[in-house]
Amino acid sequence: LFAPFPVYAGRINWLLDNTLDIRYTNAHRGPRGLFLSALRTTADYIIADKKTGREKGGARVQILAEPDELGQSSIRGLRSSELYAFYVFNVAKTEANVKLGQFVLPFGLSAVYDTPLQPIQTLYGPSVGLRIDSGVMVDGYAGPYRYAAALSTGSGPNRRDLAGGIVQSFRLERNFLTQSGRIQIGGSLLSGKLPVTAYNTELPASGVSTAEEFVDKTRFAADASYYLSKLTVRGELQFGADDQRQVWGYFGEGRYDFANGKTAIATVRRWNFGQKPQGVTLLGAGVNFELKNGLTIRTLYEYERAKPSATSSSIVDRRFTIQTRVRF
């Protein structure tokens, strides 16, 4: 709410964004070596209002070439991720953007923080088991608030089999501009039958899920982001239940631009699953280098400790990742 809305000169507009993600990882227990993580192409078709230049409708098509599992060197094919049509309704000081198709679920930080092409991931993998789902969503603003509500299948993108019900998700957000920086605060609710997750659950950048087992989940999330000059801090707390089994976790991240084009990063993530005492904790630190012509180099060292079950010992993984990311 503190940035200008996009305004288009013409009525019909095409936007194209391509991102290439190549990584090197020397994980202690997981993938090792150089591999193509993803090649993502996003095409936006925008119909603008003749008088105001604001968006009135359109469509998004997002296609990814990626391996079946992180670290594999072979590309199996193309997958669609975000894939929807939308139309914008404006009444007084309220905006409603209706989307139909595959979209990012309006839940938690994943609704406002794009991490699929980053080494750092938020809680959506172990907690929800989905980032992209199919259905209908309404999002927009009413006064100082931004809102989003969705009804979706719970099966994820590119799947016609239903998980067995309808997933309901809702997010409400507000921004505060203060003399000490900008604060963004959000609250989210989610309920429905969603994929069963475990300590080793990983989702590809497209968000495609191959889960065959589903469970009734309820989730509540509170998140906040703080922006002050060269400092950015994000945090998220989630809790709820898988059937009657309590689950909870948190995510935190701090970024500081200590030099021109150089950013120091620290992150922490914890998730406690319904099958006690299964849980996973991750600590990470690294440096990002923003270079010219859309080139970004990211480095991240991670320490991860997972507890699979009460009868097994903890599994520890240490990994160092170098990501070369190019936008064109």
Side-chain angles (χ1 to χ4, degrees), residues 288-303:
N288 290 354
F289 302 88
E290 297 288 344
L291 306 177
K292 296 180 179 180
N293 301 320
L295 175 62
T296 300
I297 305 295
R298 294 188 173 117
T299 64
L300 182 68
Y301 175 80
E302 297 169 287
Y303 175 87

Side-chain angles (χ1 to χ4, degrees), residues 1-2 93 140-147 172-176 185:
L1 294 178
F2 299 103
K93 295 183 178 181
Y141 65 87
Y145 298 97
R146 285 198 174 276
Y147 68 89
L172 187 65
E173 171 194 321
R174 182 169 182 178
N175 282 264
F176 298 90
I185 297 177

Side-chain angles (χ1 to χ4, degrees), residues 128-156:
V128 180
L130 287 179
R131 186 181 65 89
I132 303 287
D133 205 7
S134 303
V136 59
M137 181 169 78
V138 179
D139 68 288
Y141 65 87
Y145 298 97
R146 285 198 174 276
Y147 68 89
L151 299 176
S152 58
T153 66
S155 299

Side-chain angles (χ1 to χ4, degrees), residues 13-227:
N13 305 270
W14 288 94
L15 304 176
L16 185 65
D17 179 81
N18 299 290
T19 304
L20 176 65
D21 179 358
I22 299 175
R23 303 189 190 188
Y24 169 80
T25 301
N26 66 344
H28 178 66
R29 301 181 61 91
R32 299 180 64 89
L34 185 69
F35 59 94
L36 172 63
S37 179
L39 172 61
R40 183 174 72 180
T41 297
T42 305
D44 290 302
Y45 171 68
I46 306 296
I47 302 174
D49 185 272
K50 290 183 178 180
K51 296 181 179 180
T52 64
R54 293 276 302 278
E55 294 180 354
K56 286 299 295 180
R60 164 168 285 193
V61 176
Q62 191 174 79
I63 304 296
L64 288 92
E66 62 183 3
D68 287 340
E69 297 180 12
L70 183 66
Q72 290 185 349
S73 58
S74 58
I75 301 298
R76 300 294 182 180
L78 300 178
R79 295 171 177 169
S80 60
S81 185
E82 294 184 58
L83 186 66
Y84 59 81
F86 71 94
Y87 189 81
V88 181
F89 297 89
N90 294 99
V91 179
K93 295 183 178 181
T94 302
E95 177 183 281
N97 180 4
V98 181
K99 296 178 180 177
L100 180 63
Q102 299 177 177
F103 44 78
V104 178
L105 284 172
F107 181 76
L109 269 183
S110 60
V112 293
Y113 185 28
D114 187 26
T115 62
L117 296 187
Q118 292 193 46
I120 291 176
Q121 299 292 297
T122 56
L123 288 173
Y124 62 81
S127 171
V128 180
L130 287 179
R131 186 181 65 89
I132 303 287
D133 205 7
S134 303
V136 59
M137 181 169 78
V138 179
D139 68 288
Y141 65 87
Y145 298 97
R146 285 198 174 276
Y147 68 89
L151 299 176
S152 58
T153 66
S155 299
N158 308 317
R159 295 181 66 172
R160 297 187 182 278
D161 56 318
L162 298 180
I166 297 297
V167 174
Q168 306 168 66
S169 51
F170 176 77
R171 175 179 170 82
L172 187 65
E173 171 194 321
R174 182 169 182 178
N175 282 264
F176 298 90
L177 192 60
T178 71
Q179 293 182 347
S180 301
R182 179 168 68 90
I183 303 172
Q184 174 182 297
I185 297 177
S188 305
L189 305 173
L190 180 143
S191 177
K193 195 173 288 290
L194 288 154
V196 173
T197 57
Y199 71 94
N200 56 354
T201 297
E202 290 185 340
L203 290 176
S206 63
V208 171
S209 170
T210 59
E212 299 296 335
E213 297 182 48
F214 298 84
V215 65
D216 289 322
K217 295 186 178 184
T218 57
R219 295 288 187 271
F220 304 88
D223 63 83
S225 300
Y226 176 65
Y227 307 90

Side-chain angles (χ1 to χ4, degrees), residues 199-265:
Y199 71 94
N200 56 354
T201 297
E202 290 185 340
L203 290 176
S206 63
V208 171
S209 170
T210 59
E212 299 296 335
E213 297 182 48
F214 298 84
V215 65
D216 289 322
K217 295 186 178 184
T218 57
R219 295 288 187 271
F220 304 88
D223 63 83
S225 300
Y226 176 65
Y227 307 90
L228 174 62
S229 183
K230 299 180 179 181
L231 177 66
T232 300
V233 179
R234 297 183 178 90
E236 178 179 24
L237 175 66
Q238 288 189 24
F239 60 94
D242 291 356
D243 282 335
Q244 301 300 316
R245 299 186 297 271
Q246 184 181 11
V247 299
W248 65 276
Y250 55 84
F251 168 84
E253 181 195 73
R255 295 172 176 252
Y256 183 73
D257 301 329
F258 63 91
N260 186 27
K262 301 177 180 64
T263 304
I265 297 174

